Amino acid sequence: NISATDNLKFFKHNIYEADLSETKIVTCYLSPEHMGFLEKKFIKELPKGALIISLSFPIPNWTPHETINVGFLYKTNIYCYYV
């Protein structure tokens, strides 16, 4: 547990081993290959309505609910998905 407030907690875990069943928001900065590995885990473990935010790399075979182009030097996209 890195820090916490009354309604917000940050955790640093190995995402492949972490139990995501009570997670409401996941943020990722992972390569497309790793996002593909996590696709089944997200579907299996995340509760309905959970938000996945991915910087730069989309989840293969998923359509983002919203794509935000940051527009700076690298024109990075942020992909937002709901389970």
Side-chain angles (χ1 to χ4, degrees), residues 4-41:
T5 65
D6 290 342
N7 62 355
L8 177 67
K9 294 179 183 175
F10 292 94
F11 294 94
K12 181 180 176 184
H13 292 289
N14 178 330
I15 196 164
Y16 297 105
E17 297 172 0
D19 176 6
L20 302 179
S21 63
E22 294 185 26
T23 304
K24 295 180 181 155
I25 301 174
V26 174
T27 58
C28 300
Y29 182 56
L30 300 168
S31 70
E33 179 181 20
H34 291 280
M35 294 302 288
F37 292 148
L38 290 171
E39 184 175 4
K40 289 179 184 173
K41 182 175 181 72

Side-chain angles (χ1 to χ4, degrees), residues 31 33 48 53-55 65:
S31 70
E33 179 181 20
K48 185 174 180 169
I53 302 169
S54 178
L55 176 64
H65 176 75

